[in-house]
Amino acid sequence: MNYRQLGATGTRVSELCFGTWRFGRRTNDVLETDEDDAHELLDAFADHGGNFIDSANIYGDPNGTSESYIGSWLQNRDREKYVLTSKVYFEYDEDNPNGSGLSRTHIRNQIDKTLDNLGTDYLDLYYIHRWDEDTPIEETLSALTGLVEDGRVNYLGASTMAAWQLTKALWKADLNDYQRFDVVQPLFHAGYYKDVEDYLSVAADQDLAVCPYSPLAGGFLTGKYTRADPDDPTAVEAPDGSRASFDDRFERFYLSERGWKVLDEIRAVADEVDATPAQVSLRWLMDQDAFTCVPIIGARTVDQLEENVAAAEVSITDDQHDRITDARFNEDGVRWGH
């Protein structure tokens, strides 16, 4: 993989980021990725030049397991070669009234746990995982700025939130001379844009890097699903063990008339460039010209990871890129509803 600047920062990252939310995660009492498998996946990612690794304090069961898997893997590697991220917001300790949110107390407690799990004394990028309605953003930004000033964090990021909230945070940071967000992490893929359009416009205007999660729409844009009913976009035939067969969020998040139109165009482009739909979907994101876009890929097997990483070798033309973008619109030029 090649490397690119992470937005307006001076740090260079691989074209794809590896997401570790499956590490230590249990779904219906099934462990998705154990420590040995996690290390094998991280090895494969690093062997392809990947240096950008995404995690969060609540990933895994118990909380912190994902970070711990990464930390044990790093013991035999040069930590400085990797750009590590984590996040803070969601409940970490249900018995602690200050065990969630973005208060100064919770942030300071969690950064110490995260660094201990990762076996490092600094984090390259620290995201707020969500917006905290109960804590003034000034308190959050002040606490995060302190982490940058004392060397425990290099850069700050923000995950899913409303465009106005992101704008407010950037304004408050500038007004009070706090460290501002350099990276954002929204839900964003070729079939999902309308709901995040304003958010992405802020990112483009403020030169923020965009690291979208679920870039393959939970597996929908890999092309492994087929439409079961032409009149019902939520009727889908799914392979055994795929996410659509066990995750009820799949229908709410990804299945729409718009999604099927986009997938049809992605399949057509994939045939033209001798690539897979997953690779074309990732390439479409990587080729965004309004902002630096580094998709976060997830994989349960090395074969899946190899396929996704190969997107770095795929090229699509501007016309092919536009065809995928335009598939979001119906014949009247109006965006399909979700």
Side-chain angles (χ1 to χ4, degrees), residues 3-9 11-16 52 182-186 188 200 203-204 206-212 285-295:
Y3 300 89
R4 51 181 59 180
Q5 294 297 130
L6 187 62
T9 77
T11 293
R12 294 178 63 79
V13 297
S14 49
E15 294 177 283
L16 294 166
F52 196 13
D182 288 301
V183 185
V184 291
Q185 188 180 122
F188 175 41
L200 295 177
Q206 295 295 307
D207 199 14
L208 308 180
V210 177
C211 297
L285 286 168
M286 296 157 69
D287 287 348
Q288 296 293 311
D289 57 9
F291 43 76
T292 302
C293 189
V294 182

Side-chain angles (χ1 to χ4, degrees), residues 27 73-74 101:
T27 301
W73 177 78
L74 281 172

Side-chain angles (χ1 to χ4, degrees), residues 39-115:
H39 288 185
E40 185 178 14
L41 288 164
L42 288 166
D43 284 342
F45 184 65
D47 288 345
H48 284 281
N51 74 335
F52 196 13
I53 302 170
D54 181 83
S55 190
N57 63 334
I58 60 161
Y59 289 171
D61 183 12
N63 289 333
T65 299
S66 172
E67 293 174 332
S68 296
Y69 285 3
I70 297 168
S72 60
W73 177 78
L74 281 172
Q75 289 179 2
N76 298 317
R77 291 182 175 265
D78 183 353
R79 186 265 179 266
E80 294 185 2
K81 290 184 178 180
Y82 300 95
V83 178
L84 305 180
T85 87
S86 193
K87 309 177 189 73
V88 61
Y89 167 76
F90 286 111
E91 184 175 75
Y92 190 91
D93 182 358
E94 63 181 9
D95 295 324
N96 181 355
N98 293 304
S100 63
L102 296 176
S103 68
R104 181 176 286 106
T105 297
H106 186 58
I107 288 172
R108 287 180 173 175
N109 288 341
Q110 289 306 305
I111 189 62
D112 289 337
K113 288 185 176 70
T114 285
L115 295 178

